[in-house]
Structures are given as structure tokens and as C-alpha cells.
Amino acid sequence: MSQTIKIGKQAMLLATLSEEELAMFSGGFENIEFCQGKAGSMEVQKVIAAVETAAKRNGIISEDVYRETHALYHAILESLQGVTRGQIGVGNMMRTVGLRFAVVRGKPYSRPEEGEWLAVAFYGTIGAPVKGLEHETFGLGINHI
Amino acid sequence: MSQTIKIGKQAMLLATLSEEELAMFSGGFENIEFCQGKAGSMEVQKVIAAVETAAKRNGIISEDVYRETHALYHAILESLQGVTRGQIGVGNMMRTVGLRFAVVRGKPYSRPEEGEWLAVAFYGTIGAPVKGLEHETFGLGINHI
Amino acid sequence: MSQTIKIGKQAMLLATLSEEELAMFSGGFENIEFCQGKAGSMEVQKVIAAVETAAKRNGIISEDVYRETHALYHAILESLQGVTRGQIGVGNMMRTVGLRFAVVRGKPYSRPEEGEWLAVAFYGTIGAPVKGLEHETFGLGINHI
Amino acid sequence: MSQTIKIGKQAMLLATLSEEELAMFSGGFENIEFCQGKAGSMEVQKVIAAVETAAKRNGIISEDVYRETHALYHAILESLQGVTRGQIGVGNMMRTVGLRFAVVRGKPYSRPEEGEWLAVAFYGTIGAPVKGLEHETFGLGINHI
Amino acid sequence: MSQTIKIGKQAMLLATLSEEELAMFSGGFENIEFCQGKAGSMEVQKVIAAVETAAKRNGIISEDVYRETHALYHAILESLQGVTRGQIGVGNMMRTVGLRFAVVRGKPYSRPEEGEWLAVAFYGTIGAPVKGLEHETFGLGINHI
Amino acid sequence: MSQTIKIGKQAMLLATLSEEELAMFSGGFENIEFCQGKAGSMEVQKVIAAVETAAKRNGIISEDVYRETHALYHAILESLQGVTRGQIGVGNMMRTVGLRFAVVRGKPYSRPEEGEWLAVAFYGTIGAPVKGLEHETFGLGINHI
């Protein structure tokens, strides 16, 4: 069994690269569904809500089906573990984040039984609530849907 | 104060992209020092050791100065939080990883007082110790040196 | 939308009750697939392996489909968080566990789109590796499949 | 030394079963003191407070003695690790819980020196703050008093 | 290479001892810069802010240099892991803290390349928000600057 | 209710100070029982075992009573959270510790109902398994017995 579409890598590029840079990867995002967005907050809930709302509005997941919300929620949480490096309570610690995110839905495996999976990537900055007192941060979460 | 060199993004690209893809970012890696490597193991210690050894052999950090080892070690740990999504004991859980990594040393900020920083990125797969039963994973850690 | 079959409660009862006690819940386990088993070890990997093996041998999940292994693995991990109360490295801390477990696969929701879910429950003892120096412990994990 | 009264199992049954189901276990709850209650909130503090208040009002622990509050508090925290599966900040993550709980005080061990112990069990649902977008969750904590 | 100045031990003594007790260690605090302060709150952010403010006002770190803020922030977080014993969301759990803290800046190692390091120590009480329902707690964090 | 004997502070001093320094606190350790010891290992289990053995051999806790072992075990774990700053798997990460420890048993509160409590303190170094590539670390855990 091999992994034919790297939805994680695609989510990372979509969250990180500028439009010009993304244009270099022409043809790279054809077999997936994806959306992009921004979230900036000190509260984890708001970051989660921003991704959930974007994914539902763009039809990446179905608003009506709990198992899709459940799959996305856990992919977001895993991605936020990378962003906060194990301490997911961002807003609890005077750190503020400015993040771009991407949600990718696709079929990473060649075998049809493996079905669809989700990837959620964040890229941005985390730091004190003062412009410049911050460094980059990144997260990636993947889940079956 | 602004961040002029994105060492985190560079580390991510260096760990994730193929050589052909990296070639598209010509000129993108000139103001930094970096090394790349691979680590595949079920034991966290061996992954940490692989990165430390590569960084020292390639002169990214000085072998003799504890503060540089200390800075790198914490950047690796933060990056592994993303890889393991908050549960850093990879080898404890029958999951195996196949990772590429990159270590970047550079001056991300325009103000000279901010000095040098390190970024450590991992990209690869994590899963059951059976080929194919795995998905992508990513981590990024950043620290001042 | 309502939850019509409580797979979590069923897994809990299957892992915890004696045969005589379970007999009182006649008819309670008809709409689900399940298996039961035992695991006793100081090493988390062995506990995970015991559950995975039992679930595959009893046909609760398909051995060939990674997404089913992935779903079970995360349900086991969540359940072990309860067993170890947030410190999943059982074997790292001189504590030994004697556990019974149950894996339940079923359709908890009345809407067909919600599909199948898994519940994994553990019940047993955790303590020093001396008979009697131990107390009860329990865990439950749930995931869509 | 053997464990003669399974306060953990009793707490689990008291938190999980309906009154009719509990009636089947006649005689099963005679050698212990216990109370039951409900807690529904997005904030961990309120859940803890609900259990502490119920345990004190029902005389399960003494309001005046700090060591009893201390024992109960840590049993609640351990139980919440199972409920939240290692991420105790429920309210931080847009998840809401609807929980029933039971607190049991008893002497699990035959040797009188082992004295009294506490068990705290939660059973209910956790999920998005939308009716139905949720699944079951469970927790058990045990401590000497 | 040897550690000639124990900035961790000094921070611990400065946070824990009374003035009379500290006077016994005459000459013990000459080669370091340090400040002391108090923080009492149920919110982690306020505790972090109290230490950051004290360290900047007393010139222990430079307000303008992000890498110094970054070093102090991570030393505070590590120290709070000891205070909260792994559960850093103090304010999330109805526990309140009354803490004294000390921040020490010095050169612990004889080799000049090792440069300056920071130690942050907390000592005080943690418990229910009722006078007396509390016990002692301590934390120490160390970082290169 | 007031805390009359600070068993946490006493454990910290006993673990940290030299004999000459401890002699300055004459009279300070009269109302408690305590023992001191050393532990140096990369494996958490060995550190725990060293403290448990010392506490039993010196009669600080009774070897036969599980509740005393249970109380000590959780006090050790809390203290190790400080030592490892939230990542208790020391041996998993190529870090080695050289620790002195103290276990104190006493009655910290003036009210007799509060009974006896335990404090466990560690002080020493943590770092790479190379002499000198290490910094100080500290932990304190407290539990009722």
C-alpha cells in the first residue's frame, strides 16, 4: 500500500507559502479539496472555531454529520499541539498567535478502502502580545474522516 | 522590530521538499546555515541523537559549548511535540517514525541584539511498524541560541 | 439527532462486570459487535498490541485497512489516558497493570450518515509490582471508524 | 492482602446505570457511603465545584478537614483526566460536557490499616456545544483519604 | 567544565527563606543579579506577568530585546510546571496560589563561552481559595539567555 | 487554621544544602521524621525505587501499608514533574539526572485532624550524559498520608 497524495505536505504548503510561491507548485493541488483562512487570538476556542467555520462554509466537511466534525476537531487539536508545542492553552499564558491555516480533504492512499482523510496545518507566529516579540510556529494534524 | 529571515519556514521547506522543489526557491537559503538528515526509529532518544550529531558534525552548533547544545535540545523537543502531537514517547507506543529533518541557524530579526536563533523541523511518517500503515507528521521548534 | 446505542457504556460493562452480572443485561449487547480480552504488563506497547490483536482476530476491525487500525489506535490511546490518568507511560514508572478490556463496534447514532464508531474500555488494577499494592483503574476511548 | 470492596466499580455503576439497572445490583452498595450528582459546563472549575459541594453536603467528606478536601480534589482531577483524555481544560476547547457523577467512600482492603479510600466516577457526553454533536466519556479516580 | 555558581540553588533560597535566614548566607549572592517579588492569583497569565514586570523593572532582563524575554518566559514556564506539577492551568481548577519568586541572572559555568543564564524560582502555597486549605509548592526553571 | 511546620521547605533544604549550611538551621528539623539519599539514572523507575527504598528502610513509611506507599508514590511523581518540568520520561530523552533527595513526614497543620503529610524534594542536575553539559533542577511534591 502506498501513499499517493501527501495531504499533510499540501496543507503545510497552503498554510505557509505566498501566492507566488504556491504558483510554482502548479498542478499540485488538483486532486484534493481545500480551504485557507486566518486566525489570530489568545483563545484556543476562537482558533478552533475559525477553522471549523471555514471548513464548513467551504464545504470541506458537512455541517450536518457529527463524524466529520469529530474528525476535523481531533485533526485541529493535533495540529495545535504542534503550534503550542504540547501546551495547548495558548490563551492561558499571555501568548498571542497570528496564524494562517489550511484544511485539506483527500484520498492519500491508493487503495480505495482507505477512503478520505483530513489534514489541518497552521503557520504563523506566537509570542508576547507585542508586535515583534514573537517567533514562528507550525502545526500539522491528520485524521481519517 | 521585524522578522526578516523566516528560519522556521526555511527549516520546514528543507525538511519537506524534494531537491527539485527546493531548487525553485533559489536564493532562499543564502543567509542561513543549515543541515539536513534522516532519522527512523521507535525510540525518541535515537531521533534526538541523530539531530544533535548532524548539527555538530555540520558545524551548526559548537560541540564544546553547553548553551548551544541546550538551545538545540529544547528546539528538538518542541519540534517532537508536533511530531508526536503532545505525546513525546514515540517508542513507547508501538509507533515508528521515518523522518527527514533540517536544522537552521540564522538571524531572524533585523535588530542585531536579537542575535542568532535555531529552527528544527521534522517531516515524515508515523504509524504502526508496518509499511503503509502510517500517515504524515510534522514538527517545528525554535529557540534563541 | 440522538444517540440510540451507548457503545461506551456497553464497553464499560463488558470490561468491568462478571459473567453473572452481564447476564442481567440480557439483550443489551445485540446490536453491536464486540470482543473482550486481558492485558497485564508494565509496558504500554504490549497493552496496545493485546487490544489490536484481539480486535483483528475477532473481526472487530479489518486487518488490511489502515483507517480502521488508525481509528482503533486512537481509541486505545484515549482509553489509556483514563487508565494512567494523563501519564501514559505506565511501564516507565514501576507501576504494573492487570486489565480486562472490551472493544465495541456499532452505530451509536440514529442517522445513518454517522456510520460506525468504536469504543475501547479497560478495567482492572494499577499499582506497585506487588500483589495487593494496587487500586482500581478504568479508561474509555471512543472514535469514529 | 486482598481488595474486598471495589469502590471504583461501584462508583462507575452509580454514575452510569439507570435506577432500574442499579436495582439489579441489590445489596451491592451497602458497605459504602456514596452520593450522586450532575454537572454540565464548559468550565472545569464548575465541574470540580459541583462534585466538591455534593460530597460535602452529603457528608461523604468533612468540610472542615483539609486532608479530606485534598484527597477528594486529586481523585476528581484523576477522574477528569479520563473524561478529557489527558487534556483537562475542557472549557478551553469549545467542548461542553453533560456528566453524571458518583463519589464513593469505603474500605476497599481487608486489612484495617489501609483505612478509607475515595472513588470518583464521571459518565456522560462531551462534544461541540450542539445537541447530538457529542459522544460518551468516562472517568475514574481513586485516592486514599 | 564545572558549574561554579549555582544560580538555581540561589534562586530557590531567595524565594524560600526569610530575611533572617538569608542573612546567614552572607556573601552568597554577590556574583549574581537578582530580584524578588510576590504573585498571588488564580490566573497563570498574571503570575507570568508579575515575574516579567519585576525582572524588567529591576533590570534583570532588557525590556527591548526579545531573546531575553523569550529566555525568561520559558524559564518561568518550566518553573510553573513544578508549581502546578505538570498541570499549568492553575486558574482553571479552582486552585489559588500565593507565591514568592526570585529571578537570578548569572554565569554558572567557569568557561566564558557559556555566558549568562537565568533561574526562576517560586515558593508558596497552592490550594482551595480558602485560607488554610492549601499546602506548599515550589518550582525552578533554568534557561540560557 | 494555620500551617505550623513547613515540611516542604524543610525537604527542600535537606535535599539542597550542604551539611555546614544545614547546621545553621539548628533546631529546624526536630518535629519531623526525615531521610536523605541519592539517585542518579536515566530511568525514572530507578529514581522512584531509590526514594521508596530509602523511605521504607528509614521507617519514614511503613512497608506493609499500601496507603502509605500510595501516598509516597504520588508525592514522588509530583516532585518529578518539577525535576523534568512536565516531561516525566527522563530516561526516554537522553537526559541523565544526578539527584539528592529528602523525604519528610510530619504534621504541618496545627489542627490534629489534619494528621500527617509527606514532602519529597529532589535537587541536582539534569542534562546530556556528559559531565558538565547539564544544569540544576528541583522538584517538590506533597501529599497527605
Side-chain angles (χ1 to χ4, degrees), chain A residues 64-142:
Chain A
D64 295 338
V65 184
Y66 174 47
R67 60 185 290 123
E68 302 211 345
T69 300
H70 185 255
L72 178 61
Y73 177 69
H74 282 275
I76 297 171
L77 274 199
E78 292 204 350
S79 191
L80 286 174
Q81 292 279 7
V83 171
T84 64
R85 283 142 294 139
Q87 301 186 334
I88 218 162
V90 179
N92 281 346
M93 295 180 203
M94 292 198 65
R95 299 302 107 170
T96 188
V97 294
L99 297 168
R100 292 172 60 196
F101 62 82
V103 183
V104 170
R105 180 178 184 149
K107 297 182 180 173
Y109 303 97
S110 51
R111 287 185 48 181
E113 299 94 306
E114 298 299 349
E116 289 184 305
W117 293 64
L118 281 174
V120 175
F122 287 103
Y123 172 69
T125 53
I126 190 167
V130 175
K131 177 76 186 148
L133 301 193
E134 64 205 9
H135 60 63
E136 293 162 276
T137 189
F138 205 98
L140 175 66
I142 288 186

Side-chain angles (χ1 to χ4, degrees), chain E residues 12-22 24-25 100 122-125 135-138, chain F residues 3-17 22 25 28-29 32 34 36 102-104 108 118-123 138-142:
Chain E
M12 186 273 271
L13 295 174
L14 286 164
T16 308
L17 298 186
S18 65
E19 284 199 24
E20 300 78 46
E21 291 169 327
L22 279 174
M24 301 190 302
F25 291 82
R100 293 171 60 194
F122 288 101
Y123 171 70
T125 53
H135 61 62
E136 294 163 274
T137 189
F138 183 82
Chain F
Q3 194 167 343
T4 49
I5 300 181
K6 292 182 175 166
I7 60 172
K9 180 176 171 181
Q10 287 169 325
M12 288 158 57
L13 296 176
L14 287 164
T16 309
L17 299 187
L22 280 174
F25 291 82
F29 307 101
I32 56 172
F34 68 87
Q36 293 163 291
V103 183
V104 170
L118 281 175
V120 175
F122 288 102
Y123 171 70
F138 200 97
L140 176 66
I142 287 186

Side-chain angles (χ1 to χ4, degrees), chain A residues 66-67 70 114 144-145, chain C residues 66-67 70 111 114 144-145:
Chain A
Y66 174 47
R67 60 185 290 123
H70 185 255
E114 298 299 349
H144 63 283
I145 200 164
Chain C
Y66 173 46
R67 61 185 290 124
H70 186 256
R111 289 186 48 181
E114 298 299 349
H144 64 282
I145 201 163

Side-chain angles (χ1 to χ4, degrees), chain F residues 3 7 25 38 58 65 68 100 104 116 118 137 143:
Chain F
Q3 194 167 343
I7 60 172
F25 291 82
K38 286 189 181 183
N58 290 279
V65 185
E68 302 211 344
R100 291 172 60 195
V104 170
E116 288 183 304
L118 281 175
T137 190
N143 206 358

Side-chain angles (χ1 to χ4, degrees), chain E residues 52-92:
Chain E
E52 290 185 336
T53 303
K56 287 176 177 174
R57 272 208 199 128
N58 290 278
I60 309 299
I61 68 165
S62 162
E63 200 155 352
D64 294 339
V65 184
Y66 173 47
R67 60 185 291 125
E68 301 212 344
T69 300
H70 185 255
L72 178 62
Y73 177 69
H74 282 274
I76 297 171
L77 273 200
E78 292 205 348
S79 191
L80 285 173
Q81 291 279 9
V83 170
T84 64
R85 283 142 294 140
Q87 301 186 334
I88 219 161
V90 179
N92 281 347

